[in-house]
Amino acid sequence: MVPPPTPSILAYFGELEDPRVSPATRHQLLDIVAIALCAILCGADPWVEVEAFGRAKEAWLRTFLGLPHGIPSHDTFGRVFAALDPEQFEAGFRSWVAAVVELTAGAVVAVDGKTLRRSHDRSQGKAALVLVSAWAEANRLTLGQVAVTPGSHEIPVIPTLLQQLTLGGCIVTVDAAGCQTAIATQIRDQGADYVLALKENQATLHEAVAFLFAAGQRDAFTGLRHDYQRTVEKNHGRLEVRQVWTVEEPHLIAYLDPASAWPAQRSVAMVVAERRSGEASSRETRYYLSSLPGDAATIGAAVRGHWGIENRLHWVLDIAFREDDSRVRQGHADQNLAVLRRLALNLLRQETTAKMGAKAKRLRAGWDPAYLLKILEG
């Protein structure tokens, strides 16, 4: 007999307001949330599969849930998650994350957006949902996410997301869309350092930094306080050579930013990544602004760490959870289901005894109640 799981994770959602007002409500709100979370952990995706999981595991679920009227229908799951306040639901997610994640000094926190491509509904004039997430690279966990207002873009929600996080001593990395003086100021005000990708959206500054490194390479950086690192990695038949140059020269930093608009800026960096696979090769050059000292290894690691949000979060959500294929889009259901997926992925990442990917872990959790219990216990 597998012992029942402790419902402790549900305590973080105890402040959720039930959107249903009918006195004839049959199913308890936290029962619905718990069934949906367990179902998604075990490989379910649409609400029909969530209901099917609940009915198959009803006896086990009754060991820790009330279920006064049995398992809700898939329509009930859809209606409840469509009406549930997404900000409250995300707040419960963040409170759980805060309880299980401790960010150490120098931890890289990457901020980036993801579009849920099939969440749009053209007949209702609804655009696809865009979520901006914060990712702890060392922990490989999502720290929080905020939805972009329809018709807007990512920049306005990045400060909101950052404000919800404790960032003291961390290194926050943001792609070019978030390379804004206000965002850099907020990161510094929250006690963190920044590494911001610099592209043509800051055209004048981008051109000046590119010229600085071109001139520096031409003259071998003579007389400039600079640093350099070269790394070579080979994985799955692909060779990647990464070179990082940094310049930490106060008079040049002042020249690049005469109005001191970028708070505490100490260095600029250039990263050249060359990839070779068989006969094919590619080369990409990127530039960065940073409040960190010009240590090429530290800044290079932060830049590399930023890509974890793409490779270990967004890609896994699409491959293991089929997020881009999800047609759930009624009301707030797409946003709330996205929170459930990220909570499920965090729980799967917390469980480290099984050396397998997220998709395989989901399958095993569906087959083995003892393993599902281990995941739920974190």
Side-chain angles (χ1 to χ4, degrees):
M1 176 69 178
V2 178
T6 58
S8 58
I9 193 169
L10 296 180
Y12 297 97
F13 298 92
E15 300 301 316
L16 278 177
E17 295 179 7
D18 196 328
R20 300 166 296 175
V21 295
S22 171
T25 298
R26 293 168 55 84
H27 302 285
Q28 298 175 12
L29 179 60
L30 289 185
D31 284 0
I32 292 173
V33 172
I35 295 168
L37 174 59
C38 290
I40 289 168
L41 279 169
C42 293
D45 292 310
W47 301 127
V48 170
E49 294 177 3
V50 171
E51 178 191 350
F53 166 86
R55 297 198 182 283
K57 299 290 186 180
E58 183 172 356
W60 181 76
L61 290 167
R62 284 187 179 278
T63 63
F64 64 100
L65 298 179
L67 302 181
H69 297 283
I71 301 299
S73 70
H74 63 273
D75 286 333
T76 298
F77 282 107
R79 285 194 299 268
V80 170
F81 278 97
L84 198 62
D85 186 329
E87 293 185 4
Q88 289 186 7
F89 200 46
E90 288 166 359
F93 170 83
R94 288 194 304 273
S95 65
W96 173 78
V97 171
V100 300
V101 176
E102 181 178 356
L103 297 176
T104 58
V108 174
V109 175
V111 175
D112 199 13
K114 181 182 187 296
T115 301
L116 280 66
R117 300 191 182 281
R118 290 184 176 248
S119 60
H120 64 84
D121 188 348
R122 292 192 181 94
S123 65
Q124 300 296 321
K126 181 178 181 179
L129 175 67
V130 180
L131 287 175
V132 178
S133 300
W135 166 262
E137 170 61 14
N139 306 79
R140 300 193 176 187
L141 300 175
T142 304
L143 301 176
Q145 60 279 311
V146 175
V148 174
T149 303
S152 183
H153 48 78
E154 297 177 15
I155 295 173
V157 304
I158 292 176
T160 302
L161 175 60
L162 294 175
Q163 194 61 51
Q164 296 168 350
L165 306 176
T166 301
L167 298 172
C170 295
I171 300 171
V172 179
T173 63
V174 188
D175 206 356
C179 186
Q180 307 288 329
T181 56
I183 291 174
T185 298
Q186 180 173 340
I187 291 170
R188 291 297 297 160
D189 287 345
Q190 290 186 234
D193 283 294
Y194 60 81
V195 177
L196 305 180
L198 182 63
K199 291 184 180 178
E200 285 74 9
N201 61 323
Q202 298 281 351
T204 301
L205 185 55
H206 179 271
E207 183 179 351
V209 172
F211 179 80
L212 184 157
F213 280 103
Q217 287 184 310
R218 181 192 63 215
D219 300 329
F221 293 95
T222 302
L224 295 182
R225 188 183 306 174
H226 70 285
D227 196 18
Y228 171 76
Q229 183 194 48
R230 181 177 186 269
T231 60
V232 180
E233 293 185 5
K234 187 173 183 180
N235 288 305
H236 306 292
R238 184 178 67 182
L239 183 70
E240 181 169 333
V241 181
R242 185 181 297 265
Q243 299 179 84
V244 182
W245 288 266
T246 62
V247 171
E248 183 188 0
E249 191 64 57
H251 77 276
L252 286 177
I253 299 299
Y255 173 78
L256 293 171
D257 183 21
S260 299
W262 298 94
Q265 184 187 353
R266 292 187 62 178
S267 62
V268 289
M270 178 175 73
V271 177
V272 178
E274 183 177 359
R275 298 176 180 86
R276 305 169 191 166
S277 180
E279 298 298 321
S281 65
S282 63
R283 182 182 177 92
E284 184 179 13
T285 301
R286 300 187 298 271
Y287 301 97
Y288 298 86
L289 308 179
S290 182
S291 59
L292 291 167
D295 179 76
T298 300
I299 292 179
V303 170
R304 178 79 181 234
H306 180 83
W307 294 105
I309 196 170
E310 289 286 348
N311 300 330
R312 299 188 182 97
L313 176 60
H314 297 165
W315 187 84
V316 173
L317 287 169
D318 285 339
I319 298 301
F321 289 82
R322 300 180 61 83
E323 182 168 77
D324 258 0
D325 293 332
S326 175
R327 301 303 295 254
V328 172
R329 56 196 180 188
Q330 181 183 7
H332 302 300
D334 51 356
Q335 189 172 344
N336 289 322
L337 182 55
V339 173
L340 278 176
R341 292 191 196 100
R342 284 150 181 79
L343 175 56
L345 182 54
N346 277 4
L347 283 165
L348 292 169
R349 286 266 168 74
Q350 288 282 94
E351 201 298 292
T352 58
T353 61
K355 306 303 180 184
M356 57 181 68
K359 183 177 180 180
K361 284 184 176 181
R362 292 181 80 192
L363 290 172
R364 180 175 172 183
W367 298 329
D368 183 355
Y371 184 65
L372 175 57
L373 171 60
K374 183 181 291 187
I375 294 171
L376 289 169
E377 290 180 336

